[in-house]
Amino acid sequence: MELGGGGNKLRKLEFLIGQAKKGGYDTLVVTGGVQSNFARLAAAACARTGLACELVLAQMVPRDTEIYHANGNVLLDRLFGAHIHILDPADDAGAYATRRIEEIGETGRRAFVAPLGGSTTAGCLGYVDCAFELARQSAEIGVRFDQIVIPNGSGGMHAGLAAGLIIAGLHPSRIAAHTVLSPAEKCLSATAEKIDAVLKFLSFDARVASNDLRISGAQLGDGYGIPTHSMVEAVRLLARSEGLLLDPVYGGKAFAGLLFDIESGAIAPQSNVLFIMTGGSPGLYAYADAFTAT
Ligand SMILES: *Cc1c(COP(=O)(O)O)cnc(C)c1O
């Protein structure tokens, strides 16, 4: 069993926790949504590495069911012993976190801050590694992936993967991302900025052009964390045909995008497609109501 139930944020946390430890910090402060997978995995990684963990959880999603606020990731955050602050919808998460960091400092402790999704340049490095692993494994098995399908939330996974592919001499347009958080245009420029920051940090002399990136906004629906019919269908299909669990916020929407692209012919028959499963299945328990209809 992977740490904390597993998921894509572990690759980022490997670097973020390292950065915090190296800098002599004793507390990690994380901001995110109520059902943040990053918050859950940060809490687990802190438990494992002996850091205190404070989660500042904002109401980013208009869902007020009891399970949304108490089950899924929140239940696990509590199990991992994190100190949880669930904000009111009107609260400013950034301002709240800043105040909390000051308060922590006044008690003589030192707080390291991990922003939304852990998508700092250091956090992205976990996915640069992933791109190298992918390039190596693809060579070993002799399969060239025409498309690598992923969700894009805070953009760190996409940015790290794209930077890694560029360094490995592969084109970043192989990645087909489906935004689940911000509108496609905004997601594109934010992701391109992150890629450039990662390349610069690694002293790699290249910059990405935004038309090298492929981000579709078609699966966003009414917004972040709001279920869509195609997401529910995609989660069900993979569960019933393969016994695999997608999550309702990220992977479910990205897989729905993949199915749509296959049906529309945007993905040619016989293509080699790699879908990266990013974890997040605890989110299913917080969204039970979206799956109850048969
Ligand atoms: C955070 C997350 C993503 C997206 O990663 P970003 O780096 O935020 O774009 C995808 N899937 C799951 C399950 C996640 O928790």
Side-chain angles (χ1 to χ4, degrees):
M1 185 68 176
E2 266 190 292
L3 184 67
N8 81 337
K9 300 306 179 311
L10 289 177
R11 283 187 182 267
K12 301 178 183 178
L13 282 159
E14 186 180 347
F15 287 88
L16 294 168
I17 297 270
Q19 210 183 6
K21 284 270 178 186
K22 190 165 175 233
Y25 295 90
D26 52 28
T27 305
L28 187 68
V29 175
V30 170
T31 53
V34 172
Q35 284 294 334
S36 164
N37 294 306
F38 179 55
R40 178 220 343 144
L41 289 168
C46 284
R48 177 71 71 91
T49 57
L51 292 172
C53 184
E54 297 222 3
L55 306 178
V56 176
L57 304 181
Q59 308 217 18
M60 291 170 65
V61 179
R63 279 184 93 69
D64 50 15
T65 57
E66 200 183 319
I67 48 170
Y68 190 80
H69 288 273
N71 206 331
N73 284 301
V74 182
L75 168 70
L76 301 182
D77 295 343
R78 292 194 202 287
L79 267 182
F80 293 131
H83 184 160
I84 302 172
H85 310 262
I86 294 193
L87 306 191
D88 289 328
D91 287 340
D92 176 339
Y96 190 99
T98 306
R99 202 164 61 240
R100 203 42 218 141
I101 290 153
E102 281 166 15
E103 286 166 6
I104 291 169
E106 281 159 16
T107 67
R109 286 156 54 215
R110 293 189 67 207
F112 182 85
V113 186
L116 198 71
S119 289
T120 61
T121 298
C124 291
L125 296 178
Y127 272 92
V128 174
D129 269 354
C130 179
F132 294 160
E133 286 168 36
L134 216 153
R136 194 176 58 240
Q137 290 175 20
S138 158
E140 277 167 13
I141 62 174
V143 175
R144 174 195 192 277
F145 293 109
D146 306 307
Q147 284 216 9
I148 302 165
V149 180
I150 59 165
N152 184 320
S154 61
M157 175 168 77
H158 190 169
L161 265 181
L165 289 186
I166 291 169
I167 295 169
L170 301 169
H171 205 275
S173 65
R174 284 204 203 181
I175 303 169
H178 297 273
T179 177
V180 300
L181 178 59
S182 42
E185 276 300 308
K186 190 171 162 211
C187 181
L188 195 87
S189 54
T191 303
E193 244 172 63
K194 283 188 173 62
I195 297 171
D196 283 348
V198 173
L199 291 172
K200 188 161 174 236
F201 178 80
L202 295 173
S203 308
F204 194 80
D205 191 18
R207 296 294 169 261
V208 77
S210 46
N211 56 6
D212 286 346
L213 301 182
R214 296 169 52 200
I215 299 178
S216 160
Q219 300 302 321
L220 185 56
D222 288 332
Y224 177 72
I226 303 178
T228 59
H229 179 70
S230 345
M231 176 280 287
V232 172
E233 291 296 302
V235 171
R236 269 203 192 115
L237 178 72
L238 209 61
R240 291 178 185 191
S241 57
E242 300 290 343
L244 294 173
L245 296 176
L246 290 167
D247 81 287
V249 178
Y250 300 92
K253 285 186 174 176
F255 203 79
L258 168 60
L259 293 173
F260 182 84
D261 287 346
I262 291 170
E263 279 159 21
S264 72
I267 295 177
Q270 311 306 323
S271 304
N272 290 320
V273 176
L274 174 69
F275 179 80
I276 301 189
M277 287 195 71
T278 49
S281 63
L284 286 170
Y285 307 111
Y287 280 83
D289 52 315
F291 293 90
T292 44
T294 50

